[in-house]
Amino acid sequence: MDTAIDSVTDTFIQVSEVWVPDTETGETLVLAEGSYGELAGFEAASRRESFAKGEGLPGKAWAEARPVVLKGFDGSYFKRTEAAREAGLTAAVAVPVFDGDTLNAVLVVLCGDDDTRTGAIEVWADTDGLLMLDDGYYGAAKHFEWVSQHTHFPRGQGLPGGVRASHTPMLMRDLGSGYRFIRADSAGKAGLTTGLGLPVPVPGGAGYVLTLLSARGTPIARRFELWDARSVKVGRDRAAVLADGVCQREGPLWTDDTQEPPRRVAPWQGQIGKVLATGVPVVTSGNPGLSAGYETMVALPIHDDGEIAHIVAWYC
């Protein structure tokens, strides 16, 4: 099988980070892992930082128990503004990972704003059965942003409504021509090709859905995976099974090639197994255990009723 990956000069997401409660007091968030590419200055600033509850972007997502979109840093509560400006970063999204009432981590992704990067990171909120856009970052896709701001979804309709109704992550392909994607026309004009939607469980039962919409030229990811961990066993142990996935390279997502990762993993088996064992997101770069041709992986657990129900992963 040809495992060559399409050459990509710019990605929509430039930085991914995992912030976790410190092990001594649990009262501040500290950096666990991050992928920064060539942005060494911003990485250094991040490794010196920590956040109390309500402080900075990770602390705000923790305190408000919801995903938070921040589309401008100047004059905001963002603590690393100067380092972000030097790195060309202009927007960020923070996604809290709760297991019941307990915060396990906050995943933060950061983007830069220019005339070429196109994509979407959206947060949808359930308001009396309708999914309304809470906020989103779209890069150069300004018309698609306008359409999204004027669109709502009943439960079960479109990508946000489908995720909310099923309480499971979903992948949609060919967004510009797919009849299931309500915003297909504007998505096609913006060059958006693949959509990932996932529920964001938070205390109190508020309904949030995160959607990542990827364009081929400046992709959020070149490979997406959905893993199902509900009542799956390997022997006596919990396990996760690959349920769906999509990638840009030619050919099927999975083959019988022994170099490919397994489609069923136990706790601590590879990066997906690490997420399964800890309930904490993973961000890894340059890891020899990644699938051939990929440099960065993000894997995010989705908790439900005291256990990990799903893991979503994307690769660049």
Side-chain angles (χ1 to χ4, degrees):
M1 170 182 164
D2 181 8
T3 58
I5 305 298
D6 291 349
S7 175
V8 175
T9 56
D10 293 314
T11 55
F12 190 66
I13 294 174
Q14 295 173 265
V15 171
S16 300
E17 307 173 318
V18 176
W19 296 85
V20 298
D22 72 271
T23 56
E24 293 185 1
T25 67
E27 295 180 355
T28 61
L29 295 174
V30 296
L31 184 66
E33 296 177 316
S35 173
Y36 298 89
E38 298 179 356
L39 304 180
F42 187 77
E43 178 178 2
S46 300
R47 295 194 181 280
R48 295 191 297 265
E49 195 57 85
S50 63
F51 300 93
K53 193 172 186 178
E55 184 181 31
L57 181 60
K60 185 177 179 68
W62 181 12
E64 297 186 4
R66 65 181 182 92
V68 177
V69 178
L70 182 57
K71 291 184 284 190
F73 297 153
D74 290 340
S76 74
Y77 51 83
F78 194 77
K79 291 181 64 178
R80 298 168 283 168
T81 299
E82 183 175 349
R85 185 184 302 114
E86 293 176 355
L89 300 170
T90 57
V93 180
V95 183
V97 178
F98 281 96
D99 181 2
D101 293 333
T102 301
L103 181 81
N104 283 10
V106 177
L107 174 69
V108 176
V109 298
L110 298 104
C111 307
D113 191 11
D114 57 33
D115 294 332
T116 61
R117 285 188 174 88
T118 297
I121 306 174
E122 304 173 316
V123 175
W124 298 84
D126 190 333
T127 304
D128 296 327
L130 285 179
L131 276 295
M132 311 290 290
L133 184 67
D134 186 68
D135 209 344
Y137 175 69
Y138 297 84
K142 302 303 182 184
H143 177 69
F144 185 78
E145 178 176 8
W146 184 88
V147 170
S148 301
Q149 291 169 343
H150 295 81
T151 304
H152 60 266
F153 299 91
R155 292 181 191 174
Q157 185 181 73
L159 182 57
V163 171
R164 178 57 178 159
S166 64
H167 300 285
T168 62
M170 295 175 58
L171 271 172
M172 282 191 175
R173 300 153 171 83
D174 301 321
L175 297 185
S177 58
Y179 69 93
R180 296 175 59 201
F181 194 72
I182 305 302
R183 297 168 286 168
D185 182 63
S186 55
K189 292 176 181 177
L192 301 173
T193 58
T194 305
L196 169 66
L198 56 142
V200 183
V202 296
Y208 290 101
V209 172
L210 178 72
T211 53
L212 307 178
L213 309 180
S214 189
R216 181 170 289 275
T218 54
I220 286 176
R222 288 175 286 161
R223 177 185 182 109
F224 293 98
E225 296 173 349
L226 304 184
W227 294 79
D228 190 342
R230 296 171 297 184
S231 304
V232 181
K233 299 284 187 180
V234 171
R236 297 181 179 179
D237 295 325
R238 290 184 305 132
V241 174
L242 183 70
D244 196 6
V246 63
C247 65
Q248 285 191 4
R249 70 187 181 194
E250 296 297 326
L253 180 70
W254 295 92
T255 70
D256 292 330
D257 190 330
T258 57
Q259 294 182 353
E260 287 282 11
R263 282 172 278 183
R264 180 188 295 259
V265 298
W268 298 111
Q269 183 181 359
Q271 298 301 311
I272 298 296
K274 180 179 178 181
V275 176
L276 184 63
T278 64
V280 174
V282 161
V283 173
T284 183
S285 295
N287 189 310
L290 294 184
S291 297
Y294 299 105
E295 298 179 359
T296 302
M297 171 196 185
V298 178
L300 180 68
I302 300 170
H303 296 261
D304 183 30
D305 196 23
E307 64 179 11
I308 297 175
H310 305 276
I311 298 171
V312 297
W314 56 91
Y315 300 72
C316 294

